Amino acid sequence: MNSIGELYQETTKDTLSLINYYDYIEAVKIMKNYHNIYVLSIGQTFNAGKVFADRMNRIDKNVIASDNFNEQFYYYLLWLYP
């Protein structure tokens, strides 16, 4: 149990060390300006994307996360060619 706890603490510290505060603020500003936010990811990262989408939906931000590759491609094209 202690090893797992230490692993989570180490992972959290590593992740926080990679986050640039100013990039974070800029990302928040960008998300505020859009009505729809699309999460495009596959594999293990999709789970994190789905959690992000669920939490954002709770604060009335429309976030769409799909693990369907065809839908992701469609959303990417929407972003590329608005």
Short mmCIF file of all heavy atoms in Angstrom, two decimals, residues 39-49 66-70 72-73:
data_model
loop_
_atom_site.label_atom_id
_atom_site.label_comp_id
_atom_site.label_asym_id
_atom_site.label_seq_id
_atom_site.Cartn_x
_atom_site.Cartn_y
_atom_site.Cartn_z
N VAL A 39 -12.89 16.55 -26.87
CA VAL A 39 -11.74 15.81 -26.36
C VAL A 39 -11.44 14.70 -27.35
O VAL A 39 -12.27 13.83 -27.58
CB VAL A 39 -12.02 15.23 -24.96
CG1 VAL A 39 -10.85 14.38 -24.49
CG2 VAL A 39 -12.30 16.35 -23.97
N LEU A 40 -10.25 14.74 -27.95
CA LEU A 40 -9.84 13.74 -28.92
C LEU A 40 -8.70 12.93 -28.32
O LEU A 40 -7.59 13.46 -28.16
CB LEU A 40 -9.40 14.39 -30.23
CG LEU A 40 -10.38 15.37 -30.87
CD1 LEU A 40 -9.78 15.97 -32.13
CD2 LEU A 40 -11.69 14.69 -31.18
N SER A 41 -8.96 11.69 -27.97
CA SER A 41 -7.91 10.84 -27.40
C SER A 41 -8.31 9.38 -27.56
O SER A 41 -9.48 9.06 -27.80
CB SER A 41 -7.68 11.16 -25.93
OG SER A 41 -8.86 10.91 -25.18
N ILE A 42 -7.32 8.52 -27.44
CA ILE A 42 -7.57 7.08 -27.53
C ILE A 42 -6.82 6.38 -26.41
O ILE A 42 -5.95 6.96 -25.77
CB ILE A 42 -7.12 6.51 -28.90
CG1 ILE A 42 -5.64 6.77 -29.14
CG2 ILE A 42 -7.97 7.04 -30.03
CD1 ILE A 42 -5.08 6.09 -30.36
N GLY A 43 -7.16 5.13 -26.20
CA GLY A 43 -6.46 4.32 -25.20
C GLY A 43 -6.67 4.82 -23.79
O GLY A 43 -7.75 5.29 -23.42
N GLN A 44 -5.62 4.72 -22.98
CA GLN A 44 -5.70 5.10 -21.57
C GLN A 44 -6.01 6.58 -21.37
O GLN A 44 -6.66 6.95 -20.41
CB GLN A 44 -4.38 4.74 -20.86
CG GLN A 44 -4.13 3.27 -20.76
CD GLN A 44 -5.16 2.55 -19.91
OE1 GLN A 44 -5.71 3.13 -18.97
NE2 GLN A 44 -5.44 1.31 -20.25
N THR A 45 -5.54 7.41 -22.28
CA THR A 45 -5.79 8.85 -22.12
C THR A 45 -7.26 9.20 -22.32
O THR A 45 -7.72 10.24 -21.85
CB THR A 45 -4.93 9.67 -23.09
OG1 THR A 45 -5.21 9.27 -24.43
CG2 THR A 45 -3.46 9.52 -22.79
N PHE A 46 -8.01 8.32 -22.99
CA PHE A 46 -9.43 8.60 -23.17
C PHE A 46 -10.15 8.64 -21.83
O PHE A 46 -11.04 9.47 -21.63
CB PHE A 46 -10.11 7.57 -24.09
CG PHE A 46 -11.58 7.82 -24.22
CD1 PHE A 46 -12.05 8.90 -24.96
CD2 PHE A 46 -12.50 7.02 -23.58
CE1 PHE A 46 -13.40 9.16 -25.06
CE2 PHE A 46 -13.86 7.27 -23.68
CZ PHE A 46 -14.31 8.35 -24.43
N ASN A 47 -9.76 7.79 -20.91
CA ASN A 47 -10.39 7.79 -19.59
C ASN A 47 -10.22 9.13 -18.90
O ASN A 47 -11.16 9.67 -18.31
CB ASN A 47 -9.84 6.66 -18.73
CG ASN A 47 -10.21 5.29 -19.26
OD1 ASN A 47 -11.24 5.12 -19.90
ND2 ASN A 47 -9.36 4.31 -19.02
N ALA A 48 -9.02 9.69 -18.97
CA ALA A 48 -8.78 11.01 -18.37
C ALA A 48 -9.59 12.08 -19.10
O ALA A 48 -10.14 12.99 -18.48
CB ALA A 48 -7.29 11.35 -18.41
N GLY A 49 -9.67 11.96 -20.42
CA GLY A 49 -10.48 12.90 -21.19
C GLY A 49 -11.94 12.83 -20.84
O GLY A 49 -12.64 13.85 -20.77
N SER A 66 -15.43 11.38 -27.23
CA SER A 66 -15.87 10.16 -27.92
C SER A 66 -14.66 9.27 -28.16
O SER A 66 -13.59 9.75 -28.54
CB SER A 66 -16.53 10.51 -29.26
OG SER A 66 -16.79 9.34 -29.98
N ASP A 67 -14.85 7.97 -27.97
CA ASP A 67 -13.77 7.03 -28.27
C ASP A 67 -13.92 6.43 -29.67
O ASP A 67 -13.16 5.57 -30.08
CB ASP A 67 -13.67 5.93 -27.22
CG ASP A 67 -14.95 5.12 -27.10
OD1 ASP A 67 -15.96 5.50 -27.70
OD2 ASP A 67 -14.92 4.10 -26.38
N ASN A 68 -14.89 6.94 -30.41
CA ASN A 68 -15.12 6.48 -31.78
C ASN A 68 -14.22 7.28 -32.72
O ASN A 68 -14.33 8.50 -32.82
CB ASN A 68 -16.59 6.67 -32.14
CG ASN A 68 -16.92 6.21 -33.53
OD1 ASN A 68 -16.38 6.72 -34.50
ND2 ASN A 68 -17.80 5.23 -33.62
N PHE A 69 -13.33 6.58 -33.42
CA PHE A 69 -12.37 7.26 -34.28
C PHE A 69 -13.05 8.09 -35.36
O PHE A 69 -12.61 9.20 -35.68
CB PHE A 69 -11.41 6.25 -34.92
CG PHE A 69 -10.38 6.90 -35.80
CD1 PHE A 69 -9.33 7.61 -35.25
CD2 PHE A 69 -10.48 6.82 -37.17
CE1 PHE A 69 -8.37 8.22 -36.05
CE2 PHE A 69 -9.54 7.43 -37.99
CZ PHE A 69 -8.49 8.13 -37.42
N ASN A 70 -14.13 7.59 -35.95
CA ASN A 70 -14.83 8.34 -36.99
C ASN A 70 -15.40 9.65 -36.46
O ASN A 70 -15.33 10.68 -37.13
CB ASN A 70 -15.93 7.49 -37.62
CG ASN A 70 -15.38 6.36 -38.45
OD1 ASN A 70 -14.34 6.49 -39.08
ND2 ASN A 70 -16.06 5.23 -38.43
N GLN A 72 -14.22 11.28 -33.87
CA GLN A 72 -13.08 12.15 -33.58
C GLN A 72 -12.58 12.84 -34.84
O GLN A 72 -12.27 14.02 -34.83
CB GLN A 72 -11.96 11.34 -32.94
CG GLN A 72 -12.26 10.91 -31.53
CD GLN A 72 -11.09 10.25 -30.86
OE1 GLN A 72 -9.96 10.32 -31.34
NE2 GLN A 72 -11.33 9.62 -29.74
N PHE A 73 -12.53 12.09 -35.93
CA PHE A 73 -12.10 12.67 -37.20
C PHE A 73 -13.06 13.77 -37.64
O PHE A 73 -12.65 14.84 -38.09
CB PHE A 73 -11.99 11.59 -38.27
CG PHE A 73 -11.45 12.08 -39.58
CD1 PHE A 73 -10.13 12.50 -39.69
CD2 PHE A 73 -12.26 12.14 -40.69
CE1 PHE A 73 -9.63 12.96 -40.89
CE2 PHE A 73 -11.78 12.60 -41.91
CZ PHE A 73 -10.45 13.02 -42.00
#
